[in-house]
Amino acid sequence: MFWKAVNSIINDADILILVLDSRYIDETRNKEVEDKVAKSGKPFIYALNKCDLSDQEFLEMQRKKMKHSVFVSSTEYHGIKMLKEKIYTLGSQSGLELPRVGLLGYPNVGKSSLANALKGKGSAPTSSVAGHTRGTQHVRAKKFLLLDSPGVIPYRENDDMKHAMIGAKSAEQIKEPEDAVFYLLDKNKEELGKRYNVKVEDYEDFLDAVAIQKNYLIKGGVPDTERAARAILKEWQSEKHIPK
């Protein structure tokens, strides 16, 4: 159902915006969607969202690599004016008075929030829970019409660890939450240690410590590490962190 909506947007839109998470640019590029966009021959823009949560040095390095890209923050409104100007330019070049602009990307990269920022008022429903947008949403902006799509994961991609990190699947959807937290620790050990004020030496000890800290205990006072792991993932996906 979701891929049908995505295909419909690519077919109906005049301009396409590929929304990425600026903290995880490579991880949130969907090759299947990009191939479909390239095949359509339609003009496109990469909108690298959540730039306010990313390391600025990292962004400057990425800016040099990515063509047709704009760094934006749908919550801080950074880069929104520049993105609008690019849409206006592409629409004018195509001779369109009211271009239809399709938003595409992984679940939870912020497509609906970006649609609201481009409009200026909250119209598209938003949520931090992956998969909140279920069908195509139409949002009317001043000089263009936005088509917001449900987020999609590549057909053959079965990577819960990555999906937990980028928020493409909610904490409740992850089958092995402890393993997902270990994956996060591999990449963000220092930050997670600081967040929970726990020295990270052994990953299992870290989970035990967080479970005790949150008073997540089972019979006999044993730390409930699964519950603690899901809490860590949920807090991680709340966007209150800046990966280095």
Side-chain angles (χ1 to χ4, degrees):
M1 180 182 74
F2 290 171
W3 275 101
K4 184 178 179 181
V6 168
N7 289 332
S8 176
I9 283 181
I10 294 174
N11 183 62
D12 295 343
D14 303 302
I15 299 166
L16 294 159
I17 297 180
L18 300 168
V19 186
L20 309 178
D21 188 324
S22 65
R23 300 166 298 175
Y24 310 114
I25 294 172
D26 290 338
E27 291 87 348
T28 52
R29 290 187 69 169
N30 188 324
K31 189 175 185 305
E32 290 179 16
V33 169
E34 291 191 29
D35 287 347
K36 287 175 181 288
V37 170
K39 190 175 179 180
S40 75
K42 295 180 178 180
F44 67 90
I45 305 165
Y46 287 109
L48 282 69
N49 198 18
K50 308 181 185 182
C51 68
D52 55 310
L53 300 174
S54 190
D55 179 74
Q56 296 304 306
E57 230 177 89
F58 170 74
L59 289 186
E60 286 304 318
M61 285 169 38
Q62 295 302 312
R63 193 187 303 275
K64 298 172 183 177
K65 297 180 184 177
M66 303 229 17
K67 295 180 180 179
H68 313 296
S69 65
V70 180
F71 285 97
V72 298
S73 167
S74 54
T75 54
E76 300 296 325
Y77 285 82
H78 177 82
I80 298 299
K81 183 179 179 182
M82 183 181 295
L83 181 56
K84 284 182 179 179
E85 288 173 353
K86 284 188 175 292
I87 293 170
Y88 299 153
T89 298
L90 290 173
S92 177
Q93 289 173 350
S94 301
L96 300 168
E97 291 185 9
L98 187 70
R100 293 164 297 179
V101 181
L103 298 171
L104 302 166
Y106 265 83
N108 212 31
V109 290
K111 296 184 302 299
S112 297
S113 296
L114 182 59
N116 290 337
L118 286 166
K119 176 178 171 53
K121 293 181 181 179
S123 297
T126 63
S127 171
S128 61
V129 177
H132 180 71
T133 301
R134 308 298 292 181
T136 304
Q137 307 284 337
H138 294 75
V139 180
R140 178 71 180 264
K142 190 175 181 181
K143 295 182 181 179
F144 48 87
L145 177 67
L146 287 162
L147 310 176
D148 184 18
S149 68
V152 290
I153 294 170
Y155 280 120
R156 297 176 181 84
E157 185 171 277
N158 185 23
D159 189 344
D160 265 8
M161 305 301 103
K162 168 185 164 181
H163 297 157
M165 184 178 72
I166 68 176
K169 288 184 179 179
S170 69
E172 290 74 20
Q173 293 174 309
I174 302 301
K175 294 178 181 178
E176 301 291 343
E178 290 103 330
D179 288 346
V181 170
F182 295 162
Y183 180 85
L184 285 183
L185 285 166
D186 279 340
K187 296 177 177 295
N188 303 276
K189 180 166 65 175
E190 184 178 345
E191 182 186 345
L192 286 166
K194 286 180 180 177
R195 168 181 285 194
Y196 296 102
N197 195 28
V198 174
K199 190 172 182 179
V200 184
E201 292 179 339
D202 180 272
Y203 289 0
E204 291 183 356
D205 288 347
F206 171 82
L207 266 183
D208 285 345
V210 174
I212 293 168
Q213 187 182 106
K214 292 180 174 294
N215 200 30
Y216 292 165
L217 306 174
I218 54 180
K219 189 175 180 180
V222 176
D224 188 342
T225 56
E226 179 177 344
R227 187 180 176 196
R230 291 197 191 280
I232 291 167
L233 294 176
K234 189 173 183 179
E235 289 162 5
W236 177 265
Q237 293 174 356
S238 72
E239 301 173 8
K240 295 175 182 176
H241 66 283
I242 305 177
K244 300 300 181 186

